[in-house]
Amino acid sequence: MAELEASTNQGARRARPLSPHLQIYRPMLTMMMSIVHRITGAALYFGMLLLAWWVIAAAAGPNAYANFERFIGSLIGQLLLFGYTWALMHHMLGGIRHLIWDTLHGLEPAERETLTLTTIVGSIALTLAIWVIGYLAMGGPR
Amino acid sequence: MSRAPQMRTPMRRVRGLGAAHSGTGHFWHQRVTSAAGVVLTIALVVIAISLLGRNHAAAVQILGSSPVAVIMLLFIINSAYHMWIGMQEIILDYVHEDKLKLLALMANTFFVVAVAAAACFAILKLSFGV
Ligand code: HEM
């Protein structure tokens, strides 16, 4: 029994966690968003390869650019690009939330829930808006 | 003698400047690159949308034009530094074995520098013409 041992001399000498660990807490929106921010950050990290491919293909010439366009126009390419768009929007809004929190604003329980919800709803709305505008722009000159 | 767990961070560990031995500088740089990232990300989205549906020649002309090229370079460099710090933080959180940690940190640096250099070179090539 860890709790009992902790109060004895012997138990006190053991290395113990300095704070309760994750499982102790009821999952909260802000907690989930914290890990989502990390996941989107990591996804964008590798998404940089996509951006690099895009500009390198443009610099390499019409054939390379056509290859890139074919890939990004395929089902997998479109899914990747859609995911990248959402990750970028979510991570950006989450980042703004972090910057607001850094100024010690918006940290009250109700405020931080509102900010977090705004991140989710806002990222979905922005992603959809970008894709709608994108598809409309596709109608432009080829 | 074994020590009881402490709630306070020993000063000597702070002086040791943390797990990456680089102090609080990265924390601040992460904030600066985040703030710049907001503006640059919006600019990137506008540029990307303006290229949709255009052929290669038009894409080259837009990407290579001075204002667009400068914004693209800024986006790449800012993101590279930001994601380098960010991934370092992730590595330090999850990788604790010394050799593995060193390897992961090196891989992070190599990846970021290689991708950013290649992308920047492409923009410069587009901008200055072949
Ligand atoms: C392509 C662009 C981007 C990439 C590749 C990227 C990548 C990353 C990575 C890998 C992390 C580390 C995640 C973690 O430690 O949990 C991170 C953290 C962060 N990012 Fe980004 N990011 C990008 C854009 C942005 C933008 C536009 C913002 C705007 C506000 C932003 C704000 C932040 C902030 C504030 C953190 C630190 C979060 C914390 O302290 O827990 N990032 N980013």
Side-chain angles (χ1 to χ4, degrees):
Chain A
M1 299 227 98
E3 295 90 343
L4 284 181
E5 279 171 11
S7 61
T8 69
N9 270 346
Q10 225 195 355
R13 257 188 244 128
R14 292 215 189 138
R16 295 193 179 282
L18 295 184
S19 62
H21 201 53
L22 274 181
Q23 306 92 302
I24 300 293
Y25 298 101
R26 177 172 60 86
M28 285 187 293
L29 199 58
T30 42
M31 270 167 68
M32 307 325 275
M33 281 307 112
S34 167
I35 191 65
V36 170
H37 191 77
R38 172 156 287 190
I39 291 170
T40 51
L44 292 169
Y45 182 93
F46 294 104
M48 206 65 181
L49 285 172
L50 212 58
L51 185 123
W53 183 10
W54 172 44
V55 295
I56 290 169
N63 284 338
Y65 199 66
N67 281 338
F68 174 78
E69 284 196 307
R70 205 172 312 120
F71 172 76
I72 212 70
S74 71
L75 183 64
I76 293 187
Q78 290 284 289
L79 284 175
L80 271 178
L81 195 60
F82 190 80
Y84 183 87
T85 314
W86 176 75
L88 191 59
M89 289 303 107
H90 192 279
H91 189 88
M92 181 182 77
L93 292 181
I96 294 174
R97 190 173 43 114
H98 273 282
L99 293 177
I100 294 173
W101 282 343
D102 283 347
T103 67
L104 296 182
H105 286 90
L107 286 163
E108 296 301 323
E111 291 173 340
R112 48 180 205 248
E113 290 283 301
T114 309
L115 272 179
T116 305
L117 259 178
T118 310
T119 310
I120 303 173
V121 176
S123 66
I124 295 173
L126 282 176
T127 304
L128 292 178
I130 289 170
W131 276 67
V132 168
I133 296 172
Y135 269 111
L136 292 179
M138 288 293 278
R142 252 206 188 272
Chain B
M1 203 186 95
S2 61
R3 276 186 298 122
Q6 279 181 281
M7 295 304 288
R8 295 178 60 190
T9 309
M11 184 57 92
R12 64 192 162 82
R13 273 180 55 198
V14 176
R15 293 270 156 76
L17 297 171
H21 310 294
S22 54
T24 55
H26 286 168
F27 175 87
W28 176 242
H29 292 169
Q30 187 75 346
R31 268 66 196 163
V32 175
T33 53
S34 296
V38 177
V39 181
L40 293 170
T41 297
I42 295 170
L44 175 82
V45 170
V46 173
I47 292 170
I49 288 179
S50 74
L51 280 175
L52 288 174
R54 293 188 196 268
N55 63 21
H56 176 251
V60 168
Q61 203 174 31
I62 294 175
L63 278 177
S65 71
S66 303
V68 174
V70 169
I71 291 171
M72 289 300 292
L73 287 173
L74 286 176
F75 179 87
I76 295 163
I77 294 166
N78 185 70
S79 300
Y81 188 38
H82 173 91
M83 71 199 234
W84 178 75
I85 299 174
M87 186 53 76
Q88 169 169 291
E89 202 175 309
I90 295 179
I91 292 169
L92 296 177
D93 276 353
Y94 301 127
V95 185
H96 302 298
E97 205 271 311
D98 269 347
K99 270 194 206 114
L100 210 60
K101 181 162 93 176
L102 200 70
L103 277 178
L105 291 176
M106 272 173 75
N108 179 34
T109 304
F110 291 165
F111 178 86
V112 169
V113 171
V115 173
C120 284
F121 180 77
I123 297 291
L124 292 175
K125 190 174 167 213
L126 283 166
S127 199
F128 294 130
V130 186

